[in-house]
Amino acid sequence: EQNGRMDEAIRFLEKSISQSPDAASLYNRLGIILMRERRDFRRAEVMIRKATDLAPENQVYASNLKQIIQH
């Protein structure tokens, strides 16, 4: 991701999620990339909603979700 290789970053995160489906941080990161780099707000919302479902106490995830919904 840091080198601008977004397709690889997305594939890596999707694979990581399939191996660790309860890792909220992976869903959040994927959602952020989809929102910022791909402008795929619908899918980004799904990912960040999953992160907030897994970690409802995390205010960063809640803030990210709010940002997507308001877009």
Side-chain angles (χ1 to χ4, degrees):
E1 177 187 350
Q2 292 175 350
N3 296 327
R5 296 175 2 214
M6 292 304 144
D7 290 338
E8 287 180 48
I10 290 169
R11 283 193 300 274
F12 175 80
L13 286 165
E14 289 171 339
K15 182 178 180 184
S16 297
I17 287 169
S18 72
Q19 295 171 350
S20 301
D22 294 329
S25 62
L26 297 174
Y27 291 96
N28 182 69
R29 188 76 224 138
L30 180 54
I32 293 298
I33 292 172
L34 292 169
M35 176 180 64
R36 291 185 181 160
E37 303 297 330
R38 295 292 183 254
R39 314 299 283 172
D40 185 347
F41 297 102
R42 187 176 311 154
R43 188 163 172 230
E45 182 179 344
V46 169
M47 292 297 117
I48 296 180
R49 274 194 193 280
K50 180 67 174 177
T52 59
D53 288 347
L54 290 169
E57 72 289 347
N58 189 307
Q59 293 304 308
V60 172
Y61 302 163
S63 176
N64 292 341
L65 182 59
K66 183 179 176 184
Q67 182 181 359
I68 289 175
I69 291 170
Q70 289 177 343
H71 189 273

